[in-house]
Amino acid sequence: MNAIIVDPQVLRSLHRSELRKKILMYLNEIYPSATYLSEIARVVGSDPSNVRGALVGLGNRYNGESSLVYLGLVEEVSSNGFKYYRLTDYGKKVVDYLKEYYHYYRRFL
């Protein structure tokens, strides 16, 4: 695997939110396709407002600077008045890194 430098803020954001990790893993499963907010919410088993917060931030409950879009892991695509979300190339590399990271550390747990 090619070496990737992952911003510590990205790792902190993902370690602090199980929902962000679930969203990232789901978008990785459908990569490079995009999907809409309600579909993501249904698949990860969460409320759409919580998913929106994890994706783009939402007032006091979700810090926008820790959101998946702000961190460059997910991109928001507008088409015909609808918003869709897709994993970025950087997001794909981060997911691959996390899978390797968790596989390595799992043997110590």
Side-chain angles (χ1 to χ4, degrees):
M1 170 178 255
N2 293 335
I4 178 175
I5 298 175
V6 179
D7 184 340
Q9 183 179 355
V10 169
L11 291 177
R12 183 174 186 270
S13 173
L14 295 174
H15 288 307
R16 291 184 52 131
S17 172
E18 200 61 36
L19 180 58
R20 285 188 200 110
K21 279 190 274 193
K22 284 182 179 181
I23 293 168
L24 211 58
M25 294 303 174
Y26 170 62
L27 291 175
N28 183 59
E29 289 296 316
I30 65 168
Y31 181 84
S33 297
T35 190
Y36 53 99
L37 186 115
S38 297
E39 176 70 8
I40 297 170
R42 185 182 64 76
V43 170
V44 300
S46 186
D47 185 79
S49 65
N50 289 333
V51 171
R52 186 178 193 313
L55 285 166
V56 297
L58 186 65
N60 295 333
R61 288 179 50 208
Y62 288 95
N63 180 352
E65 293 180 359
S66 296
S67 72
L68 296 173
V69 170
Y70 180 85
L71 294 171
L73 303 173
V74 174
E75 64 181 334
E76 186 177 79
V77 180
S78 295
S79 177
N80 297 326
F82 296 99
K83 291 183 181 177
Y84 299 94
Y85 298 91
R86 171 176 48 217
L87 199 63
T88 62
D89 290 337
Y90 176 61
K92 176 79 171 140
K93 290 176 184 175
V94 169
V95 169
D96 292 343
Y97 169 81
L98 288 175
K99 285 180 176 181
E100 185 176 302
Y101 170 85
Y102 287 123
H103 177 73
Y104 174 77
Y105 282 102
R106 212 174 304 161
R107 40 183 209 177
F108 298 108
L109 300 175

